[in-house]
Amino acid sequence: MAQLVGLSLATFPTWIAISQQRWAASLGWAAVWLLVLALTVVPLGGRPAVGWLAAAAAFATAGLAGWLTFRSKASRGAVRDLDAVDMPGALAGVEVLDGPPTGWDQRRVAIIKNSAARTWAITARIHHDGVAMATDQTCNRYTAGLTELINAAARGELIDEIHLMVRATPDDCTERELWLRANIDPDAPVTSVATQLEHLRWSQAGIRTDTFITLVIPEARLAREARHMGGSRQGRLNTIWSLATEIGSILTGPMGATTVTWLTSPELAEAVRLGFAPGDRDTLTGAAHEATTNPDVNAHVPWAHAGPSYATAAVRHYAHDAWHTVTSTVKLPERGATMGIWGHVLAPSEPFERRCVTVVFPIEKQTVADRKAAQAEFGQSLGQGLRDRLGVRTGAKDVHRKHKLDQAEAQLAMGAAMTHPYAVCSTTVPATAPIAEFGRRLDAAIRRGSMAPQRLDMSQDLAFVTATIPLGISLARTTR
Amino acid sequence: MARTIATLLSDFGHTLPTRTPTPKESTRREFTTAPSWRGRPTAGAGWVPSRPPVKQYRMTSDQVGIWWPLLTASPLPPTGAAMGTDVANGTTFYVDPHGWVLDDTIPVTNPNIFIFGKPGRGKSAWVKAFLNRMLAFGYQALILGDPKDEYEVMCRHFGVEPWAIGPGMPARLNPLDPGPLAADWDTLDADEHRRRTAIIFGRWVVLLRSLIGSQSIGHQKVPVGPTEEQILTTVLKHLTHATTDSRQLAPIVIGQIWHALQSPDPTLIDDLRYANREEFLRDTRLLRDAVAQLISGAMAGIFDAPTTITIDWTAPIQSLSLSRLEPLGDDAIGMALMCLNSWGTAMRQAGGRRRINVRDEVWRQLRLGTSAVASFDADLRLSRSHGDIEIANAHKPSDYLGAGHTGSQAQQIAQDLLHLGDIKVLFGQDAEVADDLEQLLELGPIARDTVTGWAMGSKGRALVAVGPRLHKVHLTLHPDLELPLTDTNQAIT
């Protein structure tokens, strides 16, 4: 809107020059206006020039004022409530609630309330066999499963975003070490035991993959539905849980997940902590193991400690505790892409590097999707009609675009949902490693997947949160 | 007014637990605060200066397949032996057959491992590395026949001298040794005698059936039906005095069985309901001659005398070298493997540690006919109950079809055997074997391409099938600790 007003104002000198019949000046001002138009509209690296100026100004102001830096209450000795979330910037409005007790083990699943976006979210950890060794037939089945997931979310008209996050983390082998301690036979031959110890060292060059799904439900949609489930907060939590079970059955059914575990508050806190500090995993796993025999050991991460102690946003990366992260979004190739393009991105280039890929599916309401498709089709038809009347040749790209619009409209009519997905990829390395180099390697990995990387400069903090913290923070939400 | 359940139960002295009233939840509206998506603009708050210019694509849900991010399999639990790197996702690949059977999330219901691969692709190295790694967890390895003496280096490394058997060798192994189950026989009660006798006799009869049934008359195998089995059981009872003497279970050898059949005791003839001695001798001629072959043929002096070797039940590895039998042909080695099988079963009955039984060149045993296949089948089926891991090494899946003529019972059982191994390790194969992989193992085109392509690229590469899940695993060997133990090319270098 501001851009539109700015552009309108920028035409005034031209009109004034015309009204004064100063034709040369009016032509000059028109040229200036066109330049302003180009700077405002044409994106360079994702933003138009004006957008870059605004972002740079905000970044510089915040940097000078010290707003970019985050210091946790714990690091300042100011923690009053261990259960209160204490995290930087975009996560400041997040609160984590315990859902209703569910299932035979009466787990209380964590519900994420984001006051800044006025949304609710729920997160699960998924185990899946992947597609690395799947046949084309299985891949097609999984693809249909993902479509079914989006369609089911759209049909319910409650979920408006689904986040799928994959983290490829260096393997600290803590579980292996604990297992070896418990299982090595005291009478075992020396060679066999020595081999185990050598392998433990080797295995630390391996990686482990964690996968999360987060469902985001806006309050505007939930409040009405929650009335039927008991109203108030309890009604909301019950509604969210019923959505989670519905989506869970699609994950384990058509999408082929072997297990889906909706996270409790301590589990989610751990997932968040490991998002900020992947190196903490060994101590947390060790503590969890010790807690099974020693009740005095606290294996849980309190929410006040789940965030970073210190974090700051640089122009091209984000620094959090002893780690640095670079996050990029991707542009798909024009010729289309195939399933499995993320394989290169999820392969760390060094044993200490962590890679993350988060794919977000914002889902449009069916009515809105139909209207937008009709509008696009109308615009296309109008343009085509004008071109035909003026005798302008219709290029191959126009034909392709028309075909895509027709196809989208046909699919919507057949019950498909409209979504506008995006992906963010990140690399996290210890602060001692050259982050610029690892940023380049991430870009190279994205290119190997036949996509084009776009570094999310001056927004690395928010991009990091979406890429690695499974709390359902959206980059596409335009409200507020 | 009907009584409540709580009142009803209280009349009978039971009190239902009561729920403490939960405090009434405040009915305040949600989202009364409205912080900015940027956070707070104060020092130390981590304020967000701008929204990332993320690239979005508008599409209908039928097109979202390209965004599928779940590419690699979630890792298996880090238990058991670390057998290399899963190249699909860079994780260390652990093999833990017993752990997998106990874990419901892993589609493995038996701990048997079938290994297939062209010679020289790394089958033996894989097995030896697996043994070395599992020994650390209290397992014992038993090499049930080492036709190429390739486990000798490993045995000696662990301080165990492998036994060699063959014509003219001093070592004797009696497959009819009752084994550790006969220890302290005189102190056991009658019920325990009956239980142990049933186990021991069961093993003996299976072995004798297999040995006799493996001999041929022309193209036909010697038939071993219920009558023959009844005769053998009765002979064994007579020889061991199992039912008449509670002091000890007399050790017997195959030669004694032949004698008992050749010069039958009158009570034996009565017990078997023959009218007279002549009728008995006439009806058991084929059986007698088949048993005679075992003690006078190629195997004479190997398995027909009391055991002469001392068994160290606590040794980490035990192996029986069969290379000296090689000149006697495949049948001799197959029969030796069968006897060793039975001996291995006796060792298993000692209980104690969990064991890994390795059967190299298993196809030789399977060629001996239906009974031999059935005995192997029984071991595989029972692996869950007796806690052993059975490893069967072969070149290609169709080796199992060599067990008999097309459509024969032996071949049918052998084909079904392939389904008793939920864990399969498939090393590189030539393209001709690819059809077997698809048809017999039902692993599909991905396995076929991997085994004939990727696995042929380097030694030690194998496709490991954990139930229906497939993993491309590259074996890693420690250069100082393991390479000297697993190198099978010493004879060439």
Side-chain angles (χ1 to χ4, degrees), chain A residues 47 67 69 89 113 128 131 151 176 185 191-192 196 198-199 207 233 332 343 372 417 419-421 454 459 480, chain B residues 25 30 37 44 46-47 50-51 53 56-59 61 66 70-71 74 80 89 91 132-133 136 157 478:
Chain A
R47 289 187 177 109
W67 301 347
T69 310
K113 178 183 173 187
H128 195 280
V131 294
N151 286 347
R176 176 67 178 171
D185 188 59
T191 312
S192 303
Q196 299 304 329
E198 289 292 305
H199 281 160
I207 56 168
R233 175 174 286 181
L332 294 182
K372 283 188 178 171
T419 173
H420 27 101
Q454 180 186 301
S459 303
R480 298 189 61 78
Chain B
E25 201 182 312
E30 298 290 349
W37 59 270
W47 188 73
S50 64
R51 196 181 282 281
Q56 285 186 262
Y57 289 87
R58 199 153 166 269
M59 53 178 62
S61 54
I66 54 162
L70 313 176
L71 300 180
S74 303
N89 55 9
T91 55
N132 174 42
R133 293 164 196 190
H157 177 82
H478 194 279

Short mmCIF file of all heavy atoms in Angstrom, two decimals, chain A residues 47 67 69 89 113 128 131 151 176 185 191-192 196 198-199 207 233 332 343 372 417 419-421 454 459 480, chain B residues 25 30 37 44 46-47 50-51 53 56-59 61 66 70-71 74 80 89 91 132-133 136 157 478:
data_model
loop_
_atom_site.label_atom_id
_atom_site.label_comp_id
_atom_site.label_asym_id
_atom_site.label_seq_id
_atom_site.Cartn_x
_atom_site.Cartn_y
_atom_site.Cartn_z
N ARG A 47 13.91 -8.87 -3.04
CA ARG A 47 13.26 -7.60 -2.65
C ARG A 47 13.51 -6.56 -3.73
O ARG A 47 14.57 -6.56 -4.36
CB ARG A 47 13.90 -7.06 -1.37
CG ARG A 47 13.60 -7.81 -0.10
CD ARG A 47 14.18 -7.00 1.06
NE ARG A 47 13.89 -7.62 2.34
CZ ARG A 47 14.80 -8.21 3.09
NH1 ARG A 47 16.05 -8.29 2.67
NH2 ARG A 47 14.47 -8.73 4.25
N TRP A 67 19.22 -3.54 19.39
CA TRP A 67 18.00 -4.37 19.41
C TRP A 67 18.23 -5.75 18.77
O TRP A 67 17.49 -6.68 19.02
CB TRP A 67 16.85 -3.70 18.65
CG TRP A 67 16.45 -2.37 19.17
CD1 TRP A 67 16.81 -1.80 20.36
CD2 TRP A 67 15.61 -1.42 18.51
NE1 TRP A 67 16.25 -0.57 20.51
CE2 TRP A 67 15.50 -0.31 19.38
CE3 TRP A 67 14.93 -1.41 17.31
CZ2 TRP A 67 14.75 0.82 19.06
CZ3 TRP A 67 14.17 -0.30 16.98
CH2 TRP A 67 14.09 0.81 17.85
N THR A 69 20.58 -7.79 19.10
CA THR A 69 21.21 -8.77 19.98
C THR A 69 20.19 -9.29 20.99
O THR A 69 19.31 -8.55 21.42
CB THR A 69 22.36 -8.10 20.74
OG1 THR A 69 23.16 -7.44 19.78
CG2 THR A 69 23.18 -9.11 21.50
N GLY A 89 13.22 -12.22 19.52
CA GLY A 89 12.44 -11.66 18.42
C GLY A 89 11.13 -12.33 18.11
O GLY A 89 10.17 -12.24 18.88
N LYS A 113 1.14 -21.56 21.40
CA LYS A 113 0.27 -20.40 21.18
C LYS A 113 1.17 -19.22 20.80
O LYS A 113 2.05 -18.85 21.57
CB LYS A 113 -0.48 -20.10 22.48
CG LYS A 113 -1.38 -18.91 22.43
CD LYS A 113 -2.00 -18.69 23.80
CE LYS A 113 -2.77 -17.38 23.81
NZ LYS A 113 -3.24 -17.05 25.16
N HIS A 128 10.26 -42.09 9.24
CA HIS A 128 9.84 -42.48 7.90
C HIS A 128 10.99 -43.24 7.24
O HIS A 128 12.15 -42.96 7.52
CB HIS A 128 9.49 -41.23 7.08
CG HIS A 128 8.72 -41.51 5.84
ND1 HIS A 128 9.32 -41.95 4.69
CD2 HIS A 128 7.40 -41.44 5.58
CE1 HIS A 128 8.39 -42.13 3.76
NE2 HIS A 128 7.21 -41.84 4.27
N VAL A 131 12.71 -42.11 0.78
CA VAL A 131 12.48 -42.57 -0.60
C VAL A 131 13.78 -42.97 -1.29
O VAL A 131 13.78 -43.25 -2.48
CB VAL A 131 11.76 -41.49 -1.44
CG1 VAL A 131 10.37 -41.25 -0.94
CG2 VAL A 131 12.54 -40.19 -1.44
N ASN A 151 -4.84 -31.69 1.02
CA ASN A 151 -6.29 -31.66 0.77
C ASN A 151 -7.08 -31.82 2.06
O ASN A 151 -8.08 -31.13 2.27
CB ASN A 151 -6.68 -32.78 -0.20
CG ASN A 151 -6.25 -32.45 -1.62
OD1 ASN A 151 -5.90 -31.31 -1.90
ND2 ASN A 151 -6.26 -33.43 -2.48
N ARG A 176 24.85 -44.73 21.46
CA ARG A 176 25.73 -45.88 21.19
C ARG A 176 26.69 -46.09 22.35
O ARG A 176 26.88 -47.21 22.80
CB ARG A 176 26.50 -45.61 19.90
CG ARG A 176 27.54 -46.66 19.54
CD ARG A 176 26.90 -47.97 19.21
NE ARG A 176 27.88 -48.97 18.82
CZ ARG A 176 27.60 -50.25 18.65
NH1 ARG A 176 26.36 -50.69 18.84
NH2 ARG A 176 28.51 -51.10 18.28
N ASP A 185 30.71 -57.14 27.21
CA ASP A 185 30.91 -58.25 28.13
C ASP A 185 32.29 -58.10 28.80
O ASP A 185 33.29 -57.86 28.11
CB ASP A 185 30.85 -59.56 27.33
CG ASP A 185 30.84 -60.75 28.24
OD1 ASP A 185 29.92 -60.85 29.06
OD2 ASP A 185 31.77 -61.58 28.14
N THR A 191 40.45 -57.60 21.28
CA THR A 191 40.31 -57.07 19.91
C THR A 191 38.88 -56.61 19.66
O THR A 191 38.66 -55.55 19.07
CB THR A 191 40.65 -58.17 18.89
OG1 THR A 191 41.87 -58.76 19.26
CG2 THR A 191 40.75 -57.61 17.49
N SER A 192 37.93 -57.40 20.10
CA SER A 192 36.53 -57.05 19.85
C SER A 192 36.15 -55.75 20.56
O SER A 192 35.48 -54.90 19.98
CB SER A 192 35.61 -58.18 20.34
OG SER A 192 35.95 -59.36 19.70
N GLN A 196 35.16 -51.94 18.96
CA GLN A 196 33.96 -51.13 19.29
C GLN A 196 34.35 -49.68 19.56
O GLN A 196 33.67 -48.76 19.12
CB GLN A 196 33.28 -51.70 20.55
CG GLN A 196 32.79 -53.10 20.43
CD GLN A 196 31.84 -53.29 19.28
OE1 GLN A 196 31.11 -52.39 18.93
NE2 GLN A 196 31.85 -54.47 18.70
N GLU A 198 37.00 -48.05 18.55
CA GLU A 198 37.41 -47.38 17.31
C GLU A 198 36.19 -47.00 16.47
O GLU A 198 36.12 -45.91 15.91
CB GLU A 198 38.32 -48.31 16.49
CG GLU A 198 39.69 -48.49 17.09
CD GLU A 198 40.51 -47.22 17.03
OE1 GLU A 198 40.68 -46.67 15.94
OE2 GLU A 198 40.95 -46.75 18.10
N HIS A 199 35.22 -47.90 16.40
CA HIS A 199 34.02 -47.62 15.61
C HIS A 199 33.21 -46.49 16.21
O HIS A 199 32.56 -45.74 15.49
CB HIS A 199 33.15 -48.87 15.51
CG HIS A 199 33.65 -49.83 14.48
ND1 HIS A 199 33.33 -51.14 14.46
CD2 HIS A 199 34.48 -49.64 13.44
CE1 HIS A 199 33.93 -51.73 13.46
NE2 HIS A 199 34.64 -50.84 12.83
N ILE A 207 25.76 -39.00 10.45
CA ILE A 207 24.72 -38.02 10.76
C ILE A 207 23.46 -38.74 11.22
O ILE A 207 23.30 -39.93 10.99
CB ILE A 207 24.37 -37.13 9.55
CG1 ILE A 207 23.96 -37.99 8.36
CG2 ILE A 207 25.49 -36.21 9.20
CD1 ILE A 207 23.34 -37.20 7.24
N ARG A 233 -10.48 -22.18 26.40
CA ARG A 233 -9.17 -22.72 26.01
C ARG A 233 -9.24 -24.24 25.85
O ARG A 233 -8.66 -24.82 24.93
CB ARG A 233 -8.13 -22.35 27.06
CG ARG A 233 -6.79 -22.97 26.78
CD ARG A 233 -5.76 -22.48 27.73
NE ARG A 233 -5.37 -21.11 27.42
CZ ARG A 233 -4.43 -20.46 28.11
NH1 ARG A 233 -3.87 -21.02 29.15
NH2 ARG A 233 -4.10 -19.23 27.78
N LEU A 332 12.78 -22.77 -7.68
CA LEU A 332 12.72 -24.03 -8.45
C LEU A 332 13.09 -23.77 -9.90
O LEU A 332 12.87 -22.67 -10.42
CB LEU A 332 11.30 -24.60 -8.39
CG LEU A 332 10.82 -25.07 -7.04
CD1 LEU A 332 9.42 -25.64 -7.18
CD2 LEU A 332 11.74 -26.10 -6.44
N GLY A 343 18.01 -33.99 -1.55
CA GLY A 343 19.06 -34.92 -1.12
C GLY A 343 20.41 -34.25 -0.95
O GLY A 343 21.09 -34.45 0.06
N LYS A 372 -9.36 -16.61 -6.54
CA LYS A 372 -8.08 -16.19 -7.10
C LYS A 372 -7.82 -16.85 -8.45
O LYS A 372 -7.31 -16.23 -9.38
CB LYS A 372 -6.95 -16.53 -6.14
CG LYS A 372 -6.86 -15.57 -4.96
CD LYS A 372 -5.63 -15.83 -4.15
CE LYS A 372 -5.54 -14.82 -3.02
NZ LYS A 372 -4.48 -15.15 -2.08
N ALA A 417 -6.68 -28.59 -3.44
CA ALA A 417 -6.54 -27.38 -2.64
C ALA A 417 -5.48 -26.50 -3.27
O ALA A 417 -4.65 -26.97 -4.03
CB ALA A 417 -6.14 -27.75 -1.23
N THR A 419 -2.27 -24.08 -2.65
CA THR A 419 -1.25 -23.80 -1.65
C THR A 419 -0.13 -23.01 -2.32
O THR A 419 -0.01 -23.03 -3.54
CB THR A 419 -0.70 -25.12 -1.04
OG1 THR A 419 0.39 -24.82 -0.18
CG2 THR A 419 -0.24 -26.10 -2.09
N HIS A 420 0.63 -22.27 -1.53
CA HIS A 420 1.80 -21.60 -2.13
C HIS A 420 3.03 -21.90 -1.30
O HIS A 420 3.47 -21.11 -0.47
CB HIS A 420 1.60 -20.12 -2.35
CG HIS A 420 0.63 -19.47 -1.44
ND1 HIS A 420 0.99 -18.74 -0.35
CD2 HIS A 420 -0.73 -19.47 -1.46
CE1 HIS A 420 -0.09 -18.31 0.26
NE2 HIS A 420 -1.14 -18.74 -0.38
N PRO A 421 3.59 -23.10 -1.49
CA PRO A 421 4.69 -23.55 -0.63
C PRO A 421 5.98 -22.79 -0.86
O PRO A 421 6.19 -22.19 -1.92
CB PRO A 421 4.86 -25.01 -1.03
CG PRO A 421 4.27 -25.13 -2.37
CD PRO A 421 3.23 -24.10 -2.49
N GLN A 454 18.73 -18.43 -2.73
CA GLN A 454 18.58 -17.00 -2.50
C GLN A 454 18.81 -16.75 -1.01
O GLN A 454 17.99 -17.13 -0.18
CB GLN A 454 17.19 -16.55 -2.91
CG GLN A 454 16.97 -15.06 -2.69
CD GLN A 454 15.54 -14.68 -2.97
OE1 GLN A 454 15.04 -14.87 -4.08
NE2 GLN A 454 14.86 -14.16 -1.96
N SER A 459 17.65 -10.78 7.10
CA SER A 459 16.53 -11.41 7.80
C SER A 459 16.94 -12.79 8.28
O SER A 459 16.10 -13.67 8.43
CB SER A 459 15.32 -11.55 6.87
OG SER A 459 14.96 -10.31 6.35
N ARG A 480 -0.48 -8.58 10.53
CA ARG A 480 0.30 -8.02 11.63
C ARG A 480 1.77 -7.96 11.27
O ARG A 480 2.47 -8.90 11.32
CB ARG A 480 0.11 -8.81 12.92
CG ARG A 480 -1.31 -8.80 13.39
CD ARG A 480 -1.41 -9.40 14.74
NE ARG A 480 -0.60 -8.62 15.68
CZ ARG A 480 -0.97 -7.47 16.22
NH1 ARG A 480 -2.13 -6.95 15.89
NH2 ARG A 480 -0.19 -6.85 17.06
N GLU B 25 -11.49 -22.91 35.16
CA GLU B 25 -10.59 -22.17 34.28
C GLU B 25 -11.12 -20.75 34.05
O GLU B 25 -12.33 -20.54 33.95
CB GLU B 25 -10.52 -22.91 32.95
CG GLU B 25 -9.30 -22.57 32.16
CD GLU B 25 -9.34 -23.31 30.84
OE1 GLU B 25 -9.60 -24.54 30.86
OE2 GLU B 25 -9.16 -22.67 29.82
N GLU B 30 -8.68 -15.38 24.76
CA GLU B 30 -7.32 -15.67 24.31
C GLU B 30 -6.78 -14.45 23.57
O GLU B 30 -7.54 -13.62 23.07
CB GLU B 30 -7.32 -16.88 23.38
CG GLU B 30 -7.81 -18.15 24.02
CD GLU B 30 -6.85 -18.71 25.05
OE1 GLU B 30 -5.71 -18.23 25.12
OE2 GLU B 30 -7.26 -19.61 25.80
N TRP B 37 5.27 -9.19 15.47
CA TRP B 37 6.00 -10.36 14.97
C TRP B 37 7.51 -10.13 15.00
O TRP B 37 8.30 -11.06 14.91
CB TRP B 37 5.57 -10.71 13.55
CG TRP B 37 5.79 -9.62 12.54
CD1 TRP B 37 4.92 -8.65 12.19
CD2 TRP B 37 6.96 -9.40 11.76
NE1 TRP B 37 5.45 -7.82 11.25
CE2 TRP B 37 6.71 -8.26 10.95
CE3 TRP B 37 8.18 -10.04 11.64
CZ2 TRP B 37 7.64 -7.74 10.06
CZ3 TRP B 37 9.11 -9.52 10.74
CH2 TRP B 37 8.85 -8.38 9.97
N GLY B 44 18.85 -6.02 23.67
CA GLY B 44 18.94 -7.38 24.19
C GLY B 44 17.70 -8.22 23.94
O GLY B 44 17.57 -9.30 24.51
N GLY B 46 16.55 -9.04 20.70
CA GLY B 46 16.63 -9.76 19.43
C GLY B 46 15.55 -9.35 18.45
O GLY B 46 14.91 -10.20 17.83
N TRP B 47 15.34 -8.04 18.28
CA TRP B 47 14.29 -7.49 17.41
C TRP B 47 14.54 -7.91 15.96
O TRP B 47 15.69 -7.97 15.51
CB TRP B 47 14.31 -5.97 17.54
CG TRP B 47 13.19 -5.24 16.87
CD1 TRP B 47 11.90 -5.19 17.27
CD2 TRP B 47 13.30 -4.43 15.70
NE1 TRP B 47 11.17 -4.40 16.43
CE2 TRP B 47 12.01 -3.92 15.45
CE3 TRP B 47 14.34 -4.08 14.84
CZ2 TRP B 47 11.74 -3.08 14.38
CZ3 TRP B 47 14.07 -3.24 13.77
CH2 TRP B 47 12.78 -2.75 13.54
N SER B 50 13.52 -7.21 9.52
CA SER B 50 12.71 -7.31 8.29
C SER B 50 12.28 -8.75 8.06
O SER B 50 12.90 -9.69 8.57
CB SER B 50 13.51 -6.82 7.08
OG SER B 50 14.61 -7.66 6.88
N ARG B 51 11.23 -8.88 7.28
CA ARG B 51 10.71 -10.21 6.94
C ARG B 51 11.52 -10.78 5.78
O ARG B 51 11.79 -10.06 4.82
CB ARG B 51 9.24 -10.09 6.56
CG ARG B 51 8.49 -11.39 6.55
CD ARG B 51 7.06 -11.14 6.13
NE ARG B 51 6.25 -10.59 7.20
CZ ARG B 51 5.73 -11.30 8.20
NH1 ARG B 51 5.96 -12.59 8.27
NH2 ARG B 51 4.99 -10.73 9.11
N PRO B 53 12.65 -12.20 2.33
CA PRO B 53 11.98 -12.23 1.02
C PRO B 53 11.96 -13.65 0.46
O PRO B 53 12.68 -13.98 -0.46
CB PRO B 53 12.86 -11.31 0.16
CG PRO B 53 14.22 -11.43 0.77
CD PRO B 53 14.04 -11.73 2.22
N GLN B 56 7.94 -17.91 -2.93
CA GLN B 56 6.80 -18.81 -2.82
C GLN B 56 6.31 -19.24 -4.20
O GLN B 56 6.48 -18.51 -5.18
CB GLN B 56 5.65 -18.12 -2.09
CG GLN B 56 5.89 -18.02 -0.59
CD GLN B 56 4.69 -17.46 0.13
OE1 GLN B 56 4.66 -16.28 0.42
NE2 GLN B 56 3.71 -18.30 0.39
N TYR B 57 5.71 -20.42 -4.24
CA TYR B 57 5.15 -20.94 -5.51
C TYR B 57 3.69 -21.28 -5.30
O TYR B 57 3.35 -21.99 -4.38
CB TYR B 57 5.92 -22.20 -5.95
CG TYR B 57 7.30 -21.88 -6.41
CD1 TYR B 57 8.35 -21.79 -5.52
CD2 TYR B 57 7.55 -21.61 -7.75
CE1 TYR B 57 9.62 -21.46 -5.94
CE2 TYR B 57 8.81 -21.27 -8.18
CZ TYR B 57 9.84 -21.21 -7.28
OH TYR B 57 11.10 -20.86 -7.69
N ARG B 58 2.88 -20.73 -6.18
CA ARG B 58 1.45 -20.99 -6.05
C ARG B 58 1.11 -22.22 -6.88
O ARG B 58 1.44 -22.28 -8.06
CB ARG B 58 0.69 -19.78 -6.58
CG ARG B 58 -0.71 -19.68 -6.13
CD ARG B 58 -1.11 -18.21 -6.13
NE ARG B 58 -2.54 -18.13 -6.01
CZ ARG B 58 -3.35 -18.10 -7.05
NH1 ARG B 58 -2.87 -18.11 -8.26
NH2 ARG B 58 -4.66 -18.03 -6.86
N MET B 59 0.52 -23.22 -6.25
CA MET B 59 0.22 -24.44 -7.00
C MET B 59 -0.96 -25.16 -6.38
O MET B 59 -1.33 -24.90 -5.23
CB MET B 59 1.43 -25.37 -7.03
CG MET B 59 2.02 -25.69 -5.69
SD MET B 59 3.39 -26.84 -5.80
CE MET B 59 4.56 -25.96 -6.77
N SER B 61 -2.77 -28.70 -5.03
CA SER B 61 -2.19 -29.72 -4.16
C SER B 61 -1.69 -30.96 -4.91
O SER B 61 -0.88 -31.72 -4.39
CB SER B 61 -3.20 -30.14 -3.09
OG SER B 61 -4.40 -30.55 -3.71
N ILE B 66 6.89 -32.53 -5.52
CA ILE B 66 8.31 -32.15 -5.64
C ILE B 66 8.84 -31.56 -4.35
O ILE B 66 10.04 -31.44 -4.17
CB ILE B 66 8.54 -31.13 -6.78
CG1 ILE B 66 7.62 -29.94 -6.61
CG2 ILE B 66 8.40 -31.77 -8.13
CD1 ILE B 66 8.10 -28.74 -7.40
N LEU B 70 11.00 -35.93 2.92
CA LEU B 70 11.39 -37.08 3.75
C LEU B 70 12.17 -38.07 2.88
O LEU B 70 11.62 -39.04 2.38
CB LEU B 70 10.15 -37.76 4.35
CG LEU B 70 9.13 -36.81 4.99
CD1 LEU B 70 7.91 -37.57 5.47
CD2 LEU B 70 9.77 -36.08 6.15
N LEU B 71 13.44 -37.78 2.69
CA LEU B 71 14.22 -38.54 1.73
C LEU B 71 14.88 -39.77 2.33
O LEU B 71 14.88 -40.83 1.74
CB LEU B 71 15.30 -37.64 1.13
CG LEU B 71 14.79 -36.41 0.41
CD1 LEU B 71 15.94 -35.63 -0.13
CD2 LEU B 71 13.86 -36.80 -0.72
N SER B 74 14.77 -42.95 8.70
CA SER B 74 15.15 -42.67 10.08
C SER B 74 16.11 -43.77 10.52
O SER B 74 15.91 -44.93 10.19
CB SER B 74 13.90 -42.68 10.96
OG SER B 74 12.98 -41.73 10.48
N GLY B 80 24.04 -53.38 18.76
CA GLY B 80 24.63 -54.47 17.98
C GLY B 80 25.95 -54.06 17.36
O GLY B 80 26.66 -53.19 17.87
N ASN B 89 22.18 -42.10 3.63
CA ASN B 89 22.01 -40.96 4.53
C ASN B 89 23.23 -40.67 5.40
O ASN B 89 23.17 -39.80 6.26
CB ASN B 89 20.76 -41.15 5.41
CG ASN B 89 20.79 -42.44 6.17
OD1 ASN B 89 21.81 -43.13 6.19
ND2 ASN B 89 19.70 -42.78 6.82
N THR B 91 24.58 -42.31 7.78
CA THR B 91 24.58 -42.77 9.17
C THR B 91 25.37 -44.07 9.28
O THR B 91 25.57 -44.79 8.29
CB THR B 91 23.15 -43.05 9.67
OG1 THR B 91 22.55 -43.97 8.76
CG2 THR B 91 22.33 -41.81 9.73
N ASN B 132 33.56 -60.70 15.00
CA ASN B 132 34.49 -59.98 15.88
C ASN B 132 33.75 -58.92 16.68
O ASN B 132 33.98 -58.76 17.88
CB ASN B 132 35.59 -59.34 15.02
CG ASN B 132 36.50 -58.45 15.84
OD1 ASN B 132 36.88 -58.81 16.96
ND2 ASN B 132 36.85 -57.30 15.31
N ARG B 133 32.82 -58.24 16.02
CA ARG B 133 32.13 -57.15 16.70
C ARG B 133 31.10 -57.67 17.71
O ARG B 133 30.88 -57.06 18.75
CB ARG B 133 31.48 -56.24 15.66
CG ARG B 133 32.55 -55.53 14.85
CD ARG B 133 32.06 -54.91 13.57
NE ARG B 133 33.21 -54.60 12.70
CZ ARG B 133 33.14 -53.89 11.60
NH1 ARG B 133 32.00 -53.40 11.20
NH2 ARG B 133 34.23 -53.67 10.88
N ALA B 136 32.17 -58.96 21.39
CA ALA B 136 32.30 -57.99 22.48
C ALA B 136 31.06 -57.98 23.37
O ALA B 136 31.11 -57.54 24.51
CB ALA B 136 32.54 -56.61 21.91
N HIS B 157 43.76 -66.17 16.46
CA HIS B 157 43.89 -64.84 17.07
C HIS B 157 43.20 -64.80 18.43
O HIS B 157 43.67 -64.15 19.36
CB HIS B 157 43.28 -63.79 16.14
CG HIS B 157 43.31 -62.41 16.72
ND1 HIS B 157 44.42 -61.61 16.65
CD2 HIS B 157 42.38 -61.71 17.42
CE1 HIS B 157 44.18 -60.47 17.28
NE2 HIS B 157 42.94 -60.51 17.74
N HIS B 478 38.61 -51.98 10.33
CA HIS B 478 39.72 -51.29 10.95
C HIS B 478 41.02 -51.87 10.38
O HIS B 478 41.21 -53.09 10.38
CB HIS B 478 39.67 -51.46 12.47
CG HIS B 478 40.58 -50.51 13.17
ND1 HIS B 478 41.92 -50.75 13.30
CD2 HIS B 478 40.34 -49.31 13.72
CE1 HIS B 478 42.47 -49.74 13.94
NE2 HIS B 478 41.54 -48.85 14.21
#
